[in-house]
Each structure stands twice: as C-alpha cells, then as structure tokens.
Amino acid sequence: DLVRSRGLGDVYKRQTIDGVKLVYPDGGWILIRPSGTEPVFRLYAEAGSPERAAKLVEEHKALIESIISSIS
C-alpha cells in the first residue's frame, strides 16, 4: 500500500468519510481532506504528543506533494 511503501508505517484503520482518515497502531491519526472552498488539502492530526502530531502532518504533506508532482 502507498502509505507503507513510503515508510510511513502500518495503518491500523482507514476511514473514507469526509476525506481519508488513517489511524495508526499508536492511536495517532491524520485526516486528509480537500477544502470545499479553496483549491487546497487540509490535514488534521491527533496523537499522544504534539511532536508526533506534527510528524504525521509533515510526513503526509510530503506524500501528497509527491503524488501531485508525479501527476502534473
């Protein structure tokens, strides 16, 4: 799967309501969704520490940028 192949670890659970929410075994999660009013993606994360939440956003932002650059 794309997330694992990019070295972002195993996803415990996926939800596709209102975007894509990836839940990791440590309880941290990230929600990636397109804005309804702007041409941007919004990333929301929650984790056991602010550092882990920031890391989730950083890593998934890089993943999205990589995907977009590969198709444009």
Side-chain angles (χ1 to χ4, degrees):
D1 118 314
L2 183 60
V3 172
R4 186 179 305 127
S5 72
R6 300 290 176 121
L8 299 177
D10 290 326
V11 173
Y12 170 71
K13 183 173 158 185
R14 273 185 202 94
Q15 296 175 346
T16 55
I17 299 169
D18 196 32
V20 177
K21 184 176 184 179
L22 305 174
V23 181
Y24 287 89
D26 67 359
W29 59 263
I30 185 151
L31 172 64
I32 305 163
R33 61 180 302 272
S35 170
T37 58
E38 300 175 88
V40 298
F41 284 95
R42 302 207 186 277
L43 285 75
Y44 304 93
E46 218 174 86
S49 70
E51 294 81 15
R52 173 70 174 138
K55 185 175 181 184
L56 284 169
V57 170
E58 253 177 58
E59 292 174 340
H60 290 81
K61 180 181 174 189
L63 174 63
I64 292 166
E65 288 171 342
S66 159
I67 292 168
I68 289 170
S69 72
S70 75
I71 61 173
S72 42

